[in-house]
């Protein structure tokens, strides 16, 4: 289990992580989702016991990251963003070497066992430099499993893999989630939705939402908001839409105009459809908003940014957004 409370990390005057709190449960994959620079790696390094927090509390497998960092390191398997591997060693040789550093007995058997868990036993005697990137990533994952950790912390493990390798690694992470507490960071929203039981969304060092992927989706769907896409500039359409009694607000978003009704029980779509026809606009799309995590993320981070930078336009206000489009 991972329990984080009011955790802060400052690099000099830069607050990379600003008082975050969340938990990750055993037998689950918890997704840590956010754009580049959100604070994911910083948080993960604090939870592995390698980077001292500035303040706050974090317990990993029952040990305190401040005062018991050695015990934390024994309980955690960490796969950093760039896995440091000795390319001239064989896969098994490398895992036996990691086992030796960890003081593990029966290193050959253990090495083979973890290679089997990551479905790489058939390449045990291959030199690491001859393995594909996806296979090397699995060797890294195997090395994080050598000491039977309760908790696995995986920093963007699918980056740089080809689509088939990505699918294989996601399957593997889901499988590992059944036996371990897994914290899995990603900036790919569909990945979090597919792999994780729970998602913690972080942006600019702050948690903007957390919950099961379906809970997060329901949270935003409850408002009855809809997305309208037209093939004319949003600004042209806004006045007519805003004048409708069934519309409380109509604001431009990345994909179209986001329309919020005055209350969740009002469906604004019939009135919008009539207006589109009356005005002679070409309709591209009209649908309930937030059908996937990507839209939830964009909405949450847009809202957060709007609060901190009220003078910026919605389009210009979310540098994070352009980076969170891969899926
Ligand atoms: P990415 O996906 O790009 O790795 P991230 O979510 O993991 O992003 P972090 O690497 O934790 O984000 O960085 C969070 C913030 O802290 C960024 O603004 C980054 O520039 C800053 N930062 C990270 N490491 C340091 C450091 N050693 N010294 C100063 N600032 C740092």
């Amino acid at each position: 289990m991972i329990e984080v409370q009011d955790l802060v990390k400052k690099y000099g005057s830069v607050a990379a992580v600003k008082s975050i709190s969340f938990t990750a449960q055993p037998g689950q994959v918890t997704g840590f989702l956010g754009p580049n620079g959100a604070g994911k790696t910083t948080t993960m390094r604090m939870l592995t016991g390698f980077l001292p927090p500035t303040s706050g509390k974090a317990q990993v497998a029952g040990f305190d990251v401040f005062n018991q960092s050695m015990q934390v390191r024994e309980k955690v398997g960490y796969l950093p963003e760039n896995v440091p591997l000795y390319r001239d060693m064989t896969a098994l040789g490398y895992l036996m070497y990691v086992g030796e550093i960890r003081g593990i007995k029966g290193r050959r058997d253990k090495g083979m066992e973890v290679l089997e868990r990551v479905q790489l036993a058939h390449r045990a005697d291959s030199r690491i430099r001859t393995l594909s990137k996806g296979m090397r990533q699995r060797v890294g994952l195997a090395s994080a499993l050598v000491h039977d950790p309760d908790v696995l912390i995986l920093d963007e493990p699918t980056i740089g893999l080809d689509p088939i390798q990505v699918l294989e690694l996601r399957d593997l992470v889901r499988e590992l989630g059944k036996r371990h507490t897994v914290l899995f960071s990603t900036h790919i929203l569909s990945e979090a939705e597919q792999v994780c039981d729970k998602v913690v969304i972080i942006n600019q060092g702050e948690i903007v939402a957390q919950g099961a992927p379906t809970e997060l989706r329901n949270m935003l769907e409850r408002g009855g908001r809809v997305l309208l896409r037209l093939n004319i500039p949003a600004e042209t359409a806004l006045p007519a839409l805003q004048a409708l009694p069934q519309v409380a607000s109509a604001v431009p978003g990345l994909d179209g105009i986001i329309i919020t009704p005055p209350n969740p029980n009002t469906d604004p779509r019939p009135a919008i459809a009539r207006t589109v026809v009356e005005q002679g606009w070409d309709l591209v799309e009209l649908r309930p908003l937030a059908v996937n995590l990507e839209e939830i993320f964009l909405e949450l981070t847009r809202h957060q940014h709007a609060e901190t930078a009220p003078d910026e336009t919605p389009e210009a206000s979310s540098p994070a957004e352009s980076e969170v489009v891969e899926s």
Side-chain angles (χ1 to χ4, degrees):
M1 173 144 181
I2 300 174
E3 288 177 281
V4 174
Q5 206 187 336
D6 301 324
L7 200 63
V8 174
K9 180 66 192 180
K10 290 184 182 167
Y11 295 110
S13 60
V14 177
V17 171
K18 306 168 191 164
S19 195
I20 62 168
S21 302
F22 67 91
T23 58
Q25 302 290 340
Q28 285 196 347
V29 180
T30 299
F32 206 36
L33 177 68
N36 292 335
K40 304 183 296 293
T41 300
T42 301
T43 304
M44 290 183 143
R45 294 195 62 221
M46 288 192 278
L47 296 179
T48 55
F50 284 98
L51 183 69
T54 305
S55 63
K57 269 193 191 165
Q59 285 218 329
V60 177
F63 294 104
D64 186 289
V65 297
F66 269 100
N67 309 318
Q68 298 170 299
S69 66
M70 292 314 289
Q71 290 94 324
V72 167
R73 289 180 211 187
E74 281 168 20
K75 293 287 179 189
V76 171
Y78 178 41
L79 184 67
E81 213 170 333
N82 300 304
V83 194
L85 295 172
Y86 290 106
R87 297 164 64 90
D88 286 327
M89 285 185 174
T90 64
L92 179 60
Y94 175 71
L95 294 170
M96 289 171 64
Y97 167 70
V98 173
E100 190 178 335
I101 295 171
R102 290 258 180 203
I104 285 166
K105 296 198 171 60
R107 291 192 277 277
R108 179 171 293 274
D109 289 347
K110 193 71 209 178
M112 281 311 295
E113 182 196 314
V114 290
L115 278 174
E116 268 157 31
R117 285 191 70 191
V118 302
Q119 290 133 35
L120 213 57
H122 61 295
R123 299 301 298 265
D125 297 323
S126 301
R127 293 204 185 277
I128 289 173
R129 68 179 141 77
T130 68
L131 300 177
S132 71
K133 185 158 172 33
M135 289 177 178
R136 289 204 290 269
Q137 200 70 336
R138 281 191 268 157
V139 174
L141 199 47
S143 74
L145 291 167
V146 158
H147 57 297
D148 271 329
D150 292 345
V151 173
L152 270 178
I153 295 185
L154 314 177
D155 197 353
E156 306 223 22
T158 59
I159 272 191
L161 303 186
D162 72 34
I164 292 172
Q165 293 170 340
V166 166
L167 293 180
E168 286 171 356
L169 199 89
R170 287 178 189 166
D171 282 345
L172 188 57
V173 171
R174 266 195 297 267
E175 198 54 40
L176 291 168
K178 294 178 187 163
R179 275 175 57 176
H180 302 263
T181 303
V182 178
L183 185 64
F184 167 90
S185 77
T186 177
H187 63 283
I188 304 167
L189 295 125
S190 58
E191 178 161 277
E193 194 160 25
Q194 286 164 27
V195 177
C196 304
D197 303 287
K198 173 184 173 178
V199 181
V200 176
I201 302 180
I202 182 167
N203 189 45
Q204 297 178 1
E206 289 178 278
I207 290 178
V208 289
Q210 55 181 310
T214 45
E215 274 170 24
L216 292 176
R217 197 184 305 140
N218 291 341
M219 188 176 89
L220 285 192
E221 276 181 348
R222 262 206 307 273
R225 295 175 323 151
V226 298
L227 181 91
L228 171 66
R229 279 175 67 200
L230 303 166
N231 67 358
I232 55 166
E235 290 69 26
T236 312
L238 289 181
L241 294 168
Q242 283 159 350
L244 294 171
Q246 296 86 348
V247 171
S249 79
V251 293
L254 269 194
D255 285 336
I257 301 171
I258 296 164
I259 295 170
T260 309
N263 62 67
N265 301 323
T266 301
D267 184 350
R269 284 176 295 178
I272 295 167
R274 276 194 300 275
T275 307
V276 170
V277 173
E278 281 162 20
Q279 300 282 340
W281 299 329
D282 285 340
L283 178 68
V284 179
E285 195 175 10
L286 176 61
R287 61 174 168 85
L289 191 69
V291 291
N292 61 31
L293 263 182
E294 182 157 36
E295 285 165 351
I296 292 173
F297 182 83
L298 293 179
E299 273 307 286
L300 290 167
T301 53
R302 189 197 322 277
H303 178 66
Q304 186 198 34
H305 205 274
E307 282 174 359
T308 53
D311 293 339
E312 292 179 36
T313 63
E315 286 88 346
S317 70
S318 304
E321 292 173 2
S322 61
E323 295 165 10
V324 193
V325 292
E326 191 181 344
S327 60

